[in-house]
PDB file of all heavy atoms in Angstrom:
ATOM      1  N   GLY B  53     104.857  72.426 104.350  1.00  0.00           N
ATOM      2  CA  GLY B  53     104.825  71.537 105.504  1.00  0.00           C
ATOM      3  C   GLY B  53     105.597  70.258 105.238  1.00  0.00           C
ATOM      4  O   GLY B  53     106.406  69.824 106.054  1.00  0.00           O
ATOM      5  N   ALA B  54     105.361  69.693 104.035  1.00  0.00           N
ATOM      6  CA  ALA B  54     106.064  68.457 103.681  1.00  0.00           C
ATOM      7  C   ALA B  54     107.563  68.687 103.642  1.00  0.00           C
ATOM      8  O   ALA B  54     108.354  67.873 104.123  1.00  0.00           O
ATOM      9  CB  ALA B  54     105.557  67.946 102.329  1.00  0.00           C
ATOM     10  N   LYS B  55     107.934  69.839 103.084  1.00  0.00           N
ATOM     11  CA  LYS B  55     109.351  70.162 102.988  1.00  0.00           C
ATOM     12  C   LYS B  55     109.958  70.298 104.380  1.00  0.00           C
ATOM     13  O   LYS B  55     111.032  69.748 104.664  1.00  0.00           O
ATOM     14  CB  LYS B  55     109.521  71.470 102.203  1.00  0.00           C
ATOM     15  CG  LYS B  55     110.900  71.622 101.613  1.00  0.00           C
ATOM     16  CD  LYS B  55     110.928  72.737 100.591  1.00  0.00           C
ATOM     17  CE  LYS B  55     111.546  73.975 101.172  1.00  0.00           C
ATOM     18  NZ  LYS B  55     111.424  75.134 100.290  1.00  0.00           N
ATOM     19  N   ALA B  56     109.228  71.016 105.233  1.00  0.00           N
ATOM     20  CA  ALA B  56     109.732  71.222 106.590  1.00  0.00           C
ATOM     21  C   ALA B  56     109.859  69.889 107.323  1.00  0.00           C
ATOM     22  O   ALA B  56     110.797  69.667 108.076  1.00  0.00           O
ATOM     23  CB  ALA B  56     108.798  72.153 107.359  1.00  0.00           C
ATOM     24  N   GLN B  57     108.891  68.982 107.022  1.00  0.00           N
ATOM     25  CA  GLN B  57     108.925  67.690 107.692  1.00  0.00           C
ATOM     26  C   GLN B  57     110.152  66.882 107.254  1.00  0.00           C
ATOM     27  O   GLN B  57     110.840  66.281 108.071  1.00  0.00           O
ATOM     28  CB  GLN B  57     107.650  66.920 107.391  1.00  0.00           C
ATOM     29  CG  GLN B  57     107.458  65.743 108.309  1.00  0.00           C
ATOM     30  CD  GLN B  57     106.269  64.899 107.931  1.00  0.00           C
ATOM     31  OE1 GLN B  57     105.841  64.922 106.783  1.00  0.00           O
ATOM     32  NE2 GLN B  57     105.750  64.172 108.884  1.00  0.00           N
ATOM     33  N   VAL B  58     110.389  66.916 105.938  1.00  0.00           N
ATOM     34  CA  VAL B  58     111.557  66.196 105.428  1.00  0.00           C
ATOM     35  C   VAL B  58     112.825  66.780 106.025  1.00  0.00           C
ATOM     36  O   VAL B  58     113.723  66.059 106.466  1.00  0.00           O
ATOM     37  CB  VAL B  58     111.577  66.264 103.890  1.00  0.00           C
ATOM     38  CG1 VAL B  58     112.929  65.809 103.359  1.00  0.00           C
ATOM     39  CG2 VAL B  58     110.468  65.410 103.320  1.00  0.00           C
ATOM     40  N   GLU B  59     112.873  68.107 106.069  1.00  0.00           N
ATOM     41  CA  GLU B  59     114.065  68.757 106.633  1.00  0.00           C
ATOM     42  C   GLU B  59     114.245  68.380 108.104  1.00  0.00           C
ATOM     43  O   GLU B  59     115.360  68.119 108.556  1.00  0.00           O
ATOM     44  CB  GLU B  59     113.953  70.282 106.493  1.00  0.00           C
ATOM     45  CG  GLU B  59     114.355  70.738 105.098  1.00  0.00           C
ATOM     46  CD  GLU B  59     113.931  72.166 104.797  1.00  0.00           C
ATOM     47  OE1 GLU B  59     113.346  72.814 105.689  1.00  0.00           O
ATOM     48  OE2 GLU B  59     114.174  72.607 103.661  1.00  0.00           O
ATOM     49  N   ALA B  60     113.104  68.339 108.816  1.00  0.00           N
ATOM     50  CA  ALA B  60     113.177  67.990 110.232  1.00  0.00           C
ATOM     51  C   ALA B  60     113.661  66.560 110.405  1.00  0.00           C
ATOM     52  O   ALA B  60     114.458  66.265 111.288  1.00  0.00           O
ATOM     53  CB  ALA B  60     111.806  68.151 110.885  1.00  0.00           C
ATOM     54  N   GLN B  61     113.198  65.668 109.499  1.00  0.00           N
ATOM     55  CA  GLN B  61     113.632  64.273 109.587  1.00  0.00           C
ATOM     56  C   GLN B  61     115.114  64.130 109.336  1.00  0.00           C
ATOM     57  O   GLN B  61     115.809  63.378 109.988  1.00  0.00           O
ATOM     58  CB  GLN B  61     112.895  63.448 108.543  1.00  0.00           C
ATOM     59  CG  GLN B  61     111.600  62.892 109.063  1.00  0.00           C
ATOM     60  CD  GLN B  61     110.798  62.321 107.949  1.00  0.00           C
ATOM     61  OE1 GLN B  61     111.353  61.883 106.949  1.00  0.00           O
ATOM     62  NE2 GLN B  61     109.514  62.348 108.105  1.00  0.00           N
ATOM     63  N   ILE B  62     115.557  64.898 108.334  1.00  0.00           N
ATOM     64  CA  ILE B  62     116.977  64.816 108.010  1.00  0.00           C
ATOM     65  C   ILE B  62     117.796  65.371 109.163  1.00  0.00           C
ATOM     66  O   ILE B  62     118.810  64.810 109.566  1.00  0.00           O
ATOM     67  CB  ILE B  62     117.252  65.559 106.693  1.00  0.00           C
ATOM     68  CG1 ILE B  62     116.637  64.756 105.551  1.00  0.00           C
ATOM     69  CG2 ILE B  62     118.749  65.712 106.472  1.00  0.00           C
ATOM     70  CD1 ILE B  62     116.430  65.551 104.314  1.00  0.00           C
ATOM     71  N   ALA B  63     117.299  66.483 109.741  1.00  0.00           N
ATOM     72  CA  ALA B  63     117.960  67.033 110.923  1.00  0.00           C
ATOM     73  C   ALA B  63     117.881  66.031 112.061  1.00  0.00           C
ATOM     74  O   ALA B  63     118.798  65.916 112.866  1.00  0.00           O
ATOM     75  CB  ALA B  63     117.312  68.344 111.329  1.00  0.00           C
ATOM     76  N   GLY B  64     116.776  65.260 112.083  1.00  0.00           N
ATOM     77  CA  GLY B  64     116.587  64.262 113.122  1.00  0.00           C
ATOM     78  C   GLY B  64     117.585  63.111 113.039  1.00  0.00           C
ATOM     79  O   GLY B  64     117.782  62.377 114.000  1.00  0.00           O
ATOM     80  N   LEU B  65     118.205  62.958 111.880  1.00  0.00           N
ATOM     81  CA  LEU B  65     119.267  61.951 111.773  1.00  0.00           C
ATOM     82  C   LEU B  65     120.455  62.357 112.633  1.00  0.00           C
ATOM     83  O   LEU B  65     121.324  61.566 112.931  1.00  0.00           O
ATOM     84  CB  LEU B  65     119.746  61.836 110.323  1.00  0.00           C
ATOM     85  CG  LEU B  65     118.782  61.255 109.290  1.00  0.00           C
ATOM     86  CD1 LEU B  65     119.407  61.340 107.916  1.00  0.00           C
ATOM     87  CD2 LEU B  65     118.443  59.814 109.634  1.00  0.00           C
ATOM     88  N   GLY B  66     120.464  63.621 113.033  1.00  0.00           N
ATOM     89  CA  GLY B  66     121.615  64.166 113.734  1.00  0.00           C
ATOM     90  C   GLY B  66     122.331  65.112 112.798  1.00  0.00           C
ATOM     91  O   GLY B  66     121.981  65.218 111.617  1.00  0.00           O
ATOM     92  N   GLU B  67     123.320  65.808 113.326  1.00  0.00           N
ATOM     93  CA  GLU B  67     124.035  66.776 112.502  1.00  0.00           C
ATOM     94  C   GLU B  67     125.350  66.199 112.028  1.00  0.00           C
ATOM     95  O   GLU B  67     126.021  65.472 112.747  1.00  0.00           O
ATOM     96  CB  GLU B  67     124.301  68.056 113.312  1.00  0.00           C
ATOM     97  CG  GLU B  67     123.133  69.012 113.246  1.00  0.00           C
ATOM     98  CD  GLU B  67     123.322  70.202 114.165  1.00  0.00           C
ATOM     99  OE1 GLU B  67     124.463  70.457 114.582  1.00  0.00           O
ATOM    100  OE2 GLU B  67     122.315  70.859 114.458  1.00  0.00           O
ATOM    101  N   ASN B  68     125.719  66.544 110.808  1.00  0.00           N
ATOM    102  CA  ASN B  68     127.026  66.190 110.255  1.00  0.00           C
ATOM    103  C   ASN B  68     127.300  64.691 110.316  1.00  0.00           C
ATOM    104  O   ASN B  68     128.304  64.232 110.839  1.00  0.00           O
ATOM    105  CB  ASN B  68     128.157  66.948 110.990  1.00  0.00           C
ATOM    106  CG  ASN B  68     127.860  68.441 111.062  1.00  0.00           C
ATOM    107  OD1 ASN B  68     127.319  69.011 110.108  1.00  0.00           O
ATOM    108  ND2 ASN B  68     128.201  69.057 112.172  1.00  0.00           N
ATOM    109  N   ILE B  69     126.344  63.960 109.804  1.00  0.00           N
ATOM    110  CA  ILE B  69     126.427  62.496 109.883  1.00  0.00           C
ATOM    111  C   ILE B  69     126.980  61.924 108.581  1.00  0.00           C
ATOM    112  O   ILE B  69     126.646  62.387 107.487  1.00  0.00           O
ATOM    113  CB  ILE B  69     125.018  61.898 110.111  1.00  0.00           C
ATOM    114  CG1 ILE B  69     124.386  62.449 111.389  1.00  0.00           C
ATOM    115  CG2 ILE B  69     125.069  60.373 110.139  1.00  0.00           C
ATOM    116  CD1 ILE B  69     125.006  61.957 112.652  1.00  0.00           C
ATOM    117  N   ILE B  70     127.848  60.922 108.727  1.00  0.00           N
ATOM    118  CA  ILE B  70     128.284  60.140 107.573  1.00  0.00           C
ATOM    119  C   ILE B  70     127.765  58.720 107.785  1.00  0.00           C
ATOM    120  O   ILE B  70     127.902  58.161 108.869  1.00  0.00           O
ATOM    121  CB  ILE B  70     129.825  60.136 107.448  1.00  0.00           C
ATOM    122  CG1 ILE B  70     130.330  61.568 107.219  1.00  0.00           C
ATOM    123  CG2 ILE B  70     130.275  59.210 106.312  1.00  0.00           C
ATOM    124  CD1 ILE B  70     131.838  61.697 107.304  1.00  0.00           C
ATOM    125  N   LEU B  71     127.119  58.187 106.750  1.00  0.00           N
ATOM    126  CA  LEU B  71     126.586  56.820 106.847  1.00  0.00           C
ATOM    127  C   LEU B  71     127.439  55.919 105.975  1.00  0.00           C
ATOM    128  O   LEU B  71     127.661  56.200 104.800  1.00  0.00           O
ATOM    129  CB  LEU B  71     125.133  56.784 106.379  1.00  0.00           C
ATOM    130  CG  LEU B  71     124.165  57.707 107.113  1.00  0.00           C
ATOM    131  CD1 LEU B  71     122.810  57.722 106.416  1.00  0.00           C
ATOM    132  CD2 LEU B  71     123.999  57.261 108.561  1.00  0.00           C
ATOM    133  N   ILE B  72     127.926  54.829 106.569  1.00  0.00           N
ATOM    134  CA  ILE B  72     128.723  53.872 105.806  1.00  0.00           C
ATOM    135  C   ILE B  72     127.921  52.572 105.766  1.00  0.00           C
ATOM    136  O   ILE B  72     127.592  52.000 106.809  1.00  0.00           O
ATOM    137  CB  ILE B  72     130.100  53.615 106.457  1.00  0.00           C
ATOM    138  CG1 ILE B  72     130.835  54.955 106.665  1.00  0.00           C
ATOM    139  CG2 ILE B  72     130.948  52.680 105.598  1.00  0.00           C
ATOM    140  CD1 ILE B  72     131.185  55.231 108.091  1.00  0.00           C
TER     141      ILE B  72
END
Side-chain angles (χ1 to χ4, degrees):
Chain B
K55 201 167 102 188
Q57 194 186 23
V58 167
E59 279 165 2
Q61 271 169 28
I62 290 161
L65 292 175
E67 274 174 18
N68 310 322
I69 302 289
I70 298 171
L71 303 172
I72 305 121

